[in-house]
Amino acid sequence: MLKHRVIPVVLLDGYSVLKTIQFKTRRNLGNPITVARIYNTRNIDELILLDIDASKQQRQIDYFTIEDVASECFMPLTVGGGLSSCSHIENVLKRGADKVAINTAALKDPSFIREASAHFGAQCIVVSVDVIQSDGCYKICSHSLGTVERELLDWCKQIEGLGAGEIFLNSVDRDGMMNGYDTELIRQVSSVIKIPLISCGGAGKSADLASAIQSGASASAAASLFHFTKYTPEECRASMRAAGLPARTTARKSA
């Protein structure tokens, strides 16, 4: 049986780590290398590194930062930020990433998902989907594009059909609020796809990560929970196991 994952998310605004609240208010948290070192000692399952300003500023995530973070990480690393071509993806993978996350480029040209998946393999391609509630409905949005006129569940099914290996689902309304995941959002999306779903946005306690899995996610991602509380990834996995959910128990050996 597959183990459910606990995945810290590290957001960048170029070279510094930050944490957002509903994608608006920002708090600077320092150096990504220091953060990566801390997570490496905490026995995490994976790490997601995203430059949230890259697409809006029409640039790619800094390659030297990827190399530095990868050198400190002995766990799978997913990297995203301004990746809009296979050459961008290749450069990121060469610098130590195991998977890539794409968002804006996929919304602009969905065929990019198929191209990237065919070139690098589905297991390498994660498509991010940022969701906001408006007038009682879920709508897709992007930091660089704003609200996008796509129907959420249709888009998620299309992402799967185009060959993505995972979907990274982020609730903008819950981002940084630490009041729990939007479990209804997770249920709706997980009900229409078969590929793994990573839930993000709203975790405030270890039990929240278990609730996301119970709602249909394959993995639970969080940022504020690990930045601003004493909860550890192992405590979060323990909550999953206590709820009868399979989660990793053995420590990963350093490379």
Side-chain angles (χ1 to χ4, degrees), residues 133-147:
Q133 274 194 306
S134 178
D135 299 325
C137 299
Y138 290 120
K139 296 186 178 181
I140 299 169
C141 66
S142 162
H143 182 59
S144 58
L145 300 176
T147 303

Side-chain angles (χ1 to χ4, degrees), residues 25-46:
T25 305
R26 297 185 175 198
R27 179 176 175 180
N28 191 292
L29 300 176
N31 188 294
I33 312 308
T34 301
V35 173
R37 286 173 181 160
I38 293 170
Y39 282 134
N40 192 53
T41 65
R42 289 190 167 190
N43 192 27
I44 62 174
D45 297 320
E46 295 183 21

Side-chain angles (χ1 to χ4, degrees), residues 2-164:
L2 292 176
K3 306 292 187 182
H4 297 295
R5 295 163 288 160
V6 172
I7 308 177
V9 179
V10 176
L11 303 180
L12 302 176
D13 61 354
Y15 304 100
S16 298
V17 177
L18 73 155
K19 186 64 197 79
T20 58
I21 298 177
Q22 296 181 328
F23 281 29
K24 298 174 183 177
T25 305
R26 297 185 175 198
R27 179 176 175 180
N28 191 292
L29 300 176
N31 188 294
I33 312 308
T34 301
V35 173
R37 286 173 181 160
I38 293 170
Y39 282 134
N40 192 53
T41 65
R42 289 190 167 190
N43 192 27
I44 62 174
D45 297 320
E46 295 183 21
L47 184 69
I48 294 177
L49 182 71
L50 302 174
D51 187 327
I52 61 173
D53 290 333
S55 290
K56 193 170 186 177
Q57 296 174 357
Q58 298 184 334
R59 58 173 176 78
Q60 290 85 58
I61 186 171
D62 180 70
Y63 293 148
F64 293 108
T65 299
I66 298 170
E67 289 178 342
D68 287 342
V69 170
S71 70
E72 298 292 341
C73 290
F74 300 116
M75 75 292 290
L77 175 65
T78 299
V79 172
L83 307 180
S84 58
S85 71
C86 284
S87 63
H88 292 165
I89 294 175
E90 184 174 6
N91 285 333
V92 166
L93 296 177
K94 284 181 177 178
R95 284 160 173 81
D98 299 282
K99 296 185 281 188
V100 297
I102 57 176
N103 185 339
T104 300
L107 287 169
K108 287 181 175 180
D109 180 11
S111 67
F112 177 48
I113 302 172
R114 179 184 288 114
E115 179 186 6
S117 179
H119 195 88
F120 299 102
Q123 79 288 342
C124 184
I125 307 303
V126 181
V127 178
S128 298
V129 179
D130 298 329
V131 180
I132 192 168
Q133 274 194 306
S134 178
D135 299 325
C137 299
Y138 290 120
K139 296 186 178 181
I140 299 169
C141 66
S142 162
H143 182 59
S144 58
L145 300 176
T147 303
V148 179
E149 291 303 319
R150 290 183 183 274
E151 200 280 325
L152 172 62
L153 301 185
D154 287 345
W155 175 232
C156 290
K157 288 188 286 186
Q158 185 179 6
I159 289 170
E160 179 177 41
L162 289 168

